[in-house]
Amino acid sequence: MQQAHIITLGNSGKRFEAGDGLLLDEALAQGVNVPFSCRRGECGCCKVRVLAGEHRADDYQALGTPYRLQSDELLLCQSRACGDMRIDIPGWSFDAPALRFEARVVDKSSPTDDVTRLVLQPESAQAPEIRPGQYMKFYLDDGSSRCFSVANLPAADDGRLEFHIRRVAGGRFSQTMLDQLQPGQRLSLEGGFGACTWQPGAHEELLLFASGTGYAGIKPILLAALAQEDAPPNRKVTLYWGGRRDEDCYDRAFLDALAAAHHHFRWFGINAADGRVQDAAAARDHAWSSARVYACGNPAMVEAVKERCAQWGVAAHEMVAEAFVPSGASAPPLATGSFDPVLERVGPRYSLDGMLAAREQSIRAVAQIAGKLRIGMRTSEAVEMADQHLRDMGASHTWHPTYIRFGDDTVRTPRQGVQRERVLQESDIVVVDIGPVWDGYEGDFGDTFVFGDERLHRACAQAARDVFSAAKQAWKTGLTGRALYDFAEAQALRGGWMLERNLAGHRVSDFPHALFGPAKLAEMDIVPSEAIWVLEIQLRHPSYAVGAFYEDILIGLPGEALA
């Protein structure tokens, strides 16, 4: 009879028994929640630290590049126990984190006649970690929800959550339920959500814009910025807070004290009679081209600041924003319909809000990573830089390896590997393809960038985007996954390019989506639902070693009605 080995998971108290099977299979079979993705030994998702015990690793069989391990690490998908073991997965909870939890009211006050400051204490030890700038959903007794930004840093406030809620005429929550809430009463919350979050960096200047209670989303970003230990010593931080009247800047005393304690921080309260926040900023001297900008508040203000930032020379990926929309909804509703019960299964934590935030973070991350590429950088150095950047942005894992390909390697697929010592040239074409996990949700985005003025490079990069865009529009007419890739191939050929069919599109979800099967988009004979499938487009020139890549989640964005 085969001997069972006891595998203990860090200090969690959890354990499972392992025979001679792969540790990943043994854990999943016993209901132990561990991260994984490719099952080939390439992505590193199932990497663990070995604290005690012996194991043996299978010989690497895949066609790509094996994940590089330290001497005290193993991959669950490639390793078998030789005896009892103790392992640890840094940064991973062995219990699936609960997004939905109960919290009790501990304080309620009114800084103005139409704003309520509400402080809640989560009652569950599993209340999620909130990144500065994220929001929570409040569930009402009729099952509907309202969204409010967390206005503090919970980790620095004994886990408490602070909200600034403006009274809305006729509002079911803000005018009725909120008035009736008393200390000790409980509310049901879900979150955190949102991608307008603090991202540490080396920017010499930070500009923060808020309107009304949009300040609630900006305040924790401000606090995190001022607390950044490795910030540039001469960094300037400026807040522009707009309202209809002076009283709408209801946190003046706190901000004045903050400015007195931090000589590099200043703030300006702008009422409607004085103008708009973007006008106030334009009247002062800021290093726009090297700044990062955050904006949170009403949609008109956010859009106006975005337009001005483009005029001022702020890079698009350095503008981080979130607009408030009516009824607390986090985004206009999308026509998701119902998921296929077999090919489109999702986990218990799946939500559209989480996927939208993961998508936004991933798009921003690719642009920022591309901005850090330098002539003379080797592929291996670029991947190391990108992985560190994702960690700095708050990614807990990467569910597939970070792929960066220079020059001739752009015609190769991830499974084919790349020359890790290839050097980025002055005239070159570059693919950046990332798969980070943000707050438990899988992001996946890739794009192509051109260094120099080679016309063929630029044409190829643009062709990948154009084929993607055309295929996405065709999807909205009701094409199946298989028909979608047939359409994309025909579009590519029409432009004189070849489509790589081995990159066939795939699932994303709440992490890890690999629990729900390895289905490929290009092999599906159903119409793919939105927000859970990634469309991958890789093109190459028929004669030259020039390729380009573009991928994004299939999703009907606001204003794009699905057929």
Side-chain angles (χ1 to χ4, degrees):
M1 183 176 179
Q2 188 181 63
Q3 181 180 2
H5 308 302
I6 304 300
I7 312 300
T8 303
L9 303 175
N11 297 318
S12 69
K14 291 187 175 295
R15 56 179 57 190
F16 65 93
E17 293 185 356
D20 192 47
L22 291 168
L23 286 168
L24 174 61
D25 295 334
E26 303 276 10
L28 294 176
Q30 295 173 58
V32 178
N33 179 43
V34 292
F36 73 102
S37 183
C38 74
R39 288 184 177 268
R40 301 189 302 270
E42 297 174 6
C43 72
C45 272
C46 63
K47 177 184 72 176
V48 304
R49 287 183 57 215
V50 179
L51 303 180
E54 300 293 330
H55 70 282
R56 71 178 188 277
D58 285 2
D59 292 334
Y60 179 74
Q61 300 292 333
L63 299 176
T65 303
Y67 188 86
R68 296 186 178 185
L69 294 168
Q70 301 298 319
S71 59
D72 62 344
E73 296 175 337
L74 64 78
L75 297 177
L76 294 173
C77 73
Q78 301 291 303
S79 304
R80 306 170 193 269
C82 296
D84 293 349
M85 298 185 69
R86 188 160 67 91
I87 61 177
D88 184 39
I89 311 177
W92 179 257
S93 170
F94 293 106
D95 295 306
L99 280 183
R100 187 84 174 256
F101 61 93
E102 301 293 308
R104 59 182 172 83
V105 178
V106 295
D107 190 31
K108 188 175 75 169
S109 58
S110 298
T112 73
D113 57 3
D114 63 349
V115 173
T116 298
R117 176 179 173 272
L118 182 68
V119 181
L120 305 178
Q121 179 70 60
E123 297 200 320
S124 170
Q126 281 189 285
E129 293 185 9
I130 308 298
R131 290 188 290 126
Q134 288 192 304
Y135 63 86
M136 309 292 293
K137 283 186 179 179
F138 282 53
Y139 281 90
L140 282 57
D141 50 13
D142 64 356
S144 64
S145 64
R146 301 292 184 268
C147 298
F148 300 104
S149 296
V150 178
N152 66 328
L153 298 176
D157 200 15
D158 296 325
R160 293 183 175 184
L161 305 172
E162 179 179 324
F163 303 91
H164 302 167
I165 302 171
R166 184 176 298 281
R167 182 184 299 273
V168 177
R172 180 176 178 81
F173 180 79
S174 65
Q175 194 170 51
T176 304
M177 291 182 62
L178 188 58
D179 285 345
Q180 299 170 1
L181 281 179
Q182 299 297 326
Q185 287 185 279
R186 290 174 173 79
L187 290 169
S188 182
L189 275 63
E190 183 180 14
F193 297 115
C196 180
T197 58
W198 163 244
Q199 299 167 26
H203 298 80
E204 295 288 341
E205 188 152 12
L206 299 178
L207 282 300
L208 312 175
F209 292 86
S211 63
T213 50
Y215 167 74
I218 287 294
K219 182 177 180 179
I221 293 174
L222 168 62
L223 295 175
L226 296 180
Q228 183 183 345
E229 293 183 356
D230 60 348
N234 297 319
R235 169 186 284 171
K236 297 178 181 178
V237 181
T238 308
L239 166 65
Y240 293 96
W241 184 6
R244 295 167 298 166
R245 53 187 183 166
D246 288 342
E247 301 89 277
D248 288 334
C249 296
Y250 49 81
D251 211 15
R252 288 178 175 273
F254 174 82
L255 290 173
D256 287 342
L258 204 62
H262 299 270
H263 69 277
H264 56 291
F265 165 63
R266 57 180 179 170
W267 79 281
F268 302 91
I270 314 297
N271 65 43
D274 295 332
R276 299 171 299 179
V277 290
Q278 62 269 23
D279 295 329
R284 292 179 174 84
D285 184 27
H286 293 295
W288 295 107
S289 62
S290 59
R292 174 166 289 168
V293 177
Y294 296 86
C296 189
N298 69 69
M301 182 277 289
V302 170
E303 286 305 311
V305 171
K306 283 184 177 179
E307 291 178 5
R308 287 294 188 91
C309 281
Q311 297 169 9
W312 292 329
V314 177
H317 58 272
E318 300 294 4
M319 171 70 188
V320 186
E322 188 145 74
F324 287 3
V325 292
S327 299
S330 59
L334 301 178
T336 51
S338 58
F339 294 151
D340 182 277
V342 177
L343 296 174
E344 299 184 328
R345 290 168 55 209
V346 297
R349 297 180 71 251
Y350 180 88
S351 80
L352 181 59
D353 295 79
M355 293 304 298
L356 288 172
R359 175 181 181 269
E360 185 175 340
Q361 283 281 77
S362 300
I363 292 173
R364 186 180 299 132
V366 164
Q368 292 176 356
I369 288 167
K372 289 185 171 183
L373 295 173
R374 297 290 181 265
I375 304 301
M377 181 179 280
R378 298 193 301 271
T379 300
S380 57
E381 294 172 329
V383 171
E384 182 179 352
M385 173 274 290
D387 285 337
Q388 183 60 53
H389 187 84
L390 293 173
R391 288 191 291 270
D392 290 343
M393 286 185 69
S396 60
H397 295 74
T398 52
W399 70 268
H400 74 61
T402 297
Y403 301 119
I404 296 183
R405 304 191 284 276
F406 300 158
D408 291 1
D409 282 338
T410 57
V411 302
R412 301 173 67 82
T413 67
R415 295 289 299 275
Q416 293 172 328
V418 298
Q419 296 183 30
R420 290 179 57 83
E421 299 309 303
R422 185 183 290 276
V423 173
L424 180 60
Q425 305 297 316
E426 289 187 6
S427 179
D428 217 335
I429 186 166
V430 180
V431 166
V432 179
D433 174 12
I434 63 171
V437 179
W438 311 103
D439 304 311
Y441 290 92
E442 296 171 343
D444 200 17
F445 187 75
D447 200 356
T448 304
F449 302 87
V450 174
F451 286 72
D453 296 315
E454 173 58 53
R455 294 174 66 180
L456 183 60
H457 291 170
R458 295 191 178 279
C460 190
Q462 189 57 47
R465 301 183 191 109
D466 291 344
V467 171
F468 178 93
S469 180
K472 179 179 174 181
Q473 293 301 318
W475 160 66
K476 294 178 183 179
T477 69
L479 292 187
T480 66
R482 191 184 304 274
L484 187 61
Y485 270 85
D486 290 341
F487 175 90
E489 187 168 32
Q491 282 289 116
L493 287 171
R494 205 170 288 127
W497 305 95
M498 298 175 63
L499 177 72
E500 174 57 71
R501 289 293 295 247
N502 287 328
L503 285 182
H506 55 78
R507 281 289 312 277
V508 283
S509 181
D510 47 339
F511 180 63
H513 81 269
L515 284 171
F516 312 118
K520 296 180 179 179
L521 180 60
E523 299 173 358
M524 288 198 336
D525 291 316
I526 66 170
V527 178
S529 299
E530 63 178 339
I532 61 169
W533 290 99
V534 170
L535 174 63
E536 298 175 293
I537 299 296
Q538 179 164 333
L539 304 183
R540 65 162 296 164
H541 190 277
S543 304
Y544 301 105
V546 175
F549 179 76
Y550 190 90
E551 70 170 343
D552 192 6
I553 296 173
L554 283 174
I555 195 165
L557 295 174
E560 297 179 351
L562 294 183

